[in-house]
Structures are given as C-alpha cells and as structure tokens.
Amino acid sequence: MEHPKQTQESMAARVMRFDELKHKGIPIMFIDSMLPRHHRMNYAVIGDTAAENPDYSIKRAITEPHRYQIGMCWAPPGCGPAWHTHDYTESFFILTGPFTFYWGNEDDPEKVEGQFVLNEWDMISLPPGMYRSFEYSGDSIGWFYAVLESHEVFEGKDPYWSPQIEEAALRNGYEADAKGKMVHPPDYEAQKARQDAFLREQFRELTGVDLQDYRPPQFVKDK
C-alpha cells in the first residue's frame, strides 16, 4: 500500500500543543453547560467530540479526519456532564481526579444503578445506550480525555439527554434541533463571554494560577 510522503509542515498540522489548546476552550459546548453542577470547559482535540455547539469546528486542534474523536475537558468540584447517552462507545481517561461516574439503563437521572470512582491514569469505557453522568469529586480542578468511536455529527440527536435535563436547559435558553445542533439563544455571544470569564475565574481561585499560565503537573522520577 502506498502512502503520501509527509513533510515537516504536514506533520506539524498533526501535533497538539497543550499551551495552544488551553486557549481554545468552548465554555458552552452542550445544552447542559450552563446548568448548575454541569459547568466545564471543553476542548476539541480531534474530530467533533460529540459537540452540539458548532463552535467546535473552528477550534479543533488537529483537523485531519480520523476514525475516532478525542476531546479534553476540565471541571470545577461537583461539576461534569449531565445524565445522557450516545449511540457509540465513549471512553474516559482521567488526568486529574478523582471523578465519580454514575450509570443506569433508564433516562431518569434518579435511577442510578451503579457508580465508580476513578483517579489519575484510570480509564472507563461506557457502552452505547447506557445512561451516564459524572462529576469531578476533588477540591481543585479535574481534567480528563474522552475518546469516542467514529460517528457523524449533526445527523441526529447526540447526546440523548434525559427529559429532565432537556427541560432545564430549555428554561435556561438552550436546546438542540432534530439533527443534534445547538440552537443559540439571541444573547449567546454575551453568555459565552460571561461563562468563559466565570470558568477562568473558577480556575484561578481553585488552582492559584491563571489558565494561561497553567502547566500540567510533572511526575517526579524515583531516584
């Protein structure tokens, strides 16, 4: 099989630099993002990462098509995605924990059937059709990677939210159309700016540094 030859320039387009990525956060990536306990900053590393908000398309770190999607996210204490599911497998690798994952087989978020607490370097693979939510359970800022099976964006509902979450999001001005694309409220740009500033302030208060100055913790090698 023949493959195209690569150049330094073509390979540079396939590199994600964290110092660049952290400035490309999407504060309202899903219709639940403005709800209490679901505030978080999402990043599109490769592909669409299940985004309802088309803003992701101008902020992908690596734009070359892949057969999977990778997202990254950080959340303050007690926050994370609301009760939802997908038609494909999604896996989460914890960078800074702990995160508590809740799961169940019905769309009612009150019907949790189990949970797992994951710490740094732990991973969980969530199957299609199973409802789930999760939250950062620590006292600073929690980070994770999400790896998703390949899927087409804006061809149908994705994620599938519980009816309770959809109702709460709509009261807050957010909904997704039949194709799964977020319908922006009239003051979306102002809301996005306020949410971005709010999240950055949370980050500063909880870590002691501005997001722009944040560096991932360094592992200390044993002597």
Side-chain angles (χ1 to χ4, degrees), residues 85-193:
T85 191
H86 301 282
D87 286 326
Y88 47 83
T89 299
E90 61 174 354
S91 302
F92 294 91
F93 183 85
I94 305 305
L95 299 172
T96 306
F99 276 87
T100 303
F101 285 76
Y102 306 94
W103 64 271
N105 291 292
E106 298 186 42
D107 64 12
D108 184 349
E110 298 299 320
K111 295 184 177 180
V112 173
E113 297 182 40
Q115 69 180 61
F116 296 94
V117 176
L118 274 65
N119 290 292
E120 286 86 351
W121 290 51
D122 289 342
M123 188 173 190
I124 188 169
S125 178
L126 303 172
M130 186 194 76
Y131 278 83
R132 73 293 303 263
S133 65
F134 57 96
E135 62 188 18
Y136 173 56
S137 308
D139 55 10
S140 182
I141 289 290
W143 290 84
F144 64 83
Y145 266 115
V147 182
L148 287 64
E149 285 185 319
S150 182
H151 61 278
E152 296 299 325
V153 67
F154 302 147
E155 290 198 348
K157 286 290 188 182
D158 181 39
Y160 298 99
W161 300 102
S162 75
Q164 294 93 323
I165 297 302
E166 287 191 338
E167 291 171 6
L170 185 57
R171 290 195 298 270
N172 218 34
Y174 287 88
E175 63 180 326
D177 63 21
K179 295 295 185 180
K181 192 173 186 179
M182 180 185 291
V183 179
H184 288 163
D187 63 341
Y188 167 72
E189 291 298 332
Q191 286 198 43
K192 182 174 68 172

Side-chain angles (χ1 to χ4, degrees), residues 1 7 11 27 47 52 59 83 122 149 173 178 211:
M1 180 182 295
T7 66
M11 286 305 302
E52 291 174 304
K59 294 194 174 185
W83 198 246
D122 289 342
E149 285 185 319
L211 179 60

Side-chain angles (χ1 to χ4, degrees), residues 21-72:
L21 181 74
K22 64 187 179 183
H23 300 293
K24 298 180 179 180
I26 305 170
I28 310 177
M29 199 164 188
F30 302 93
I31 64 171
D32 73 325
S33 296
M34 296 293 284
L35 298 176
R37 296 187 59 225
H38 304 303
H39 300 155
R40 58 200 186 277
M41 187 75 83
N42 285 91
Y43 300 87
V45 180
I46 291 175
D48 61 84
T49 65
E52 291 174 304
N53 193 341
D55 276 4
Y56 82 85
S57 64
I58 61 172
K59 294 194 174 185
R60 287 178 179 157
I62 298 174
T63 59
E64 184 72 17
H66 287 62
R67 293 184 179 178
Y68 56 87
Q69 288 86 20
I70 294 180
M72 192 174 184

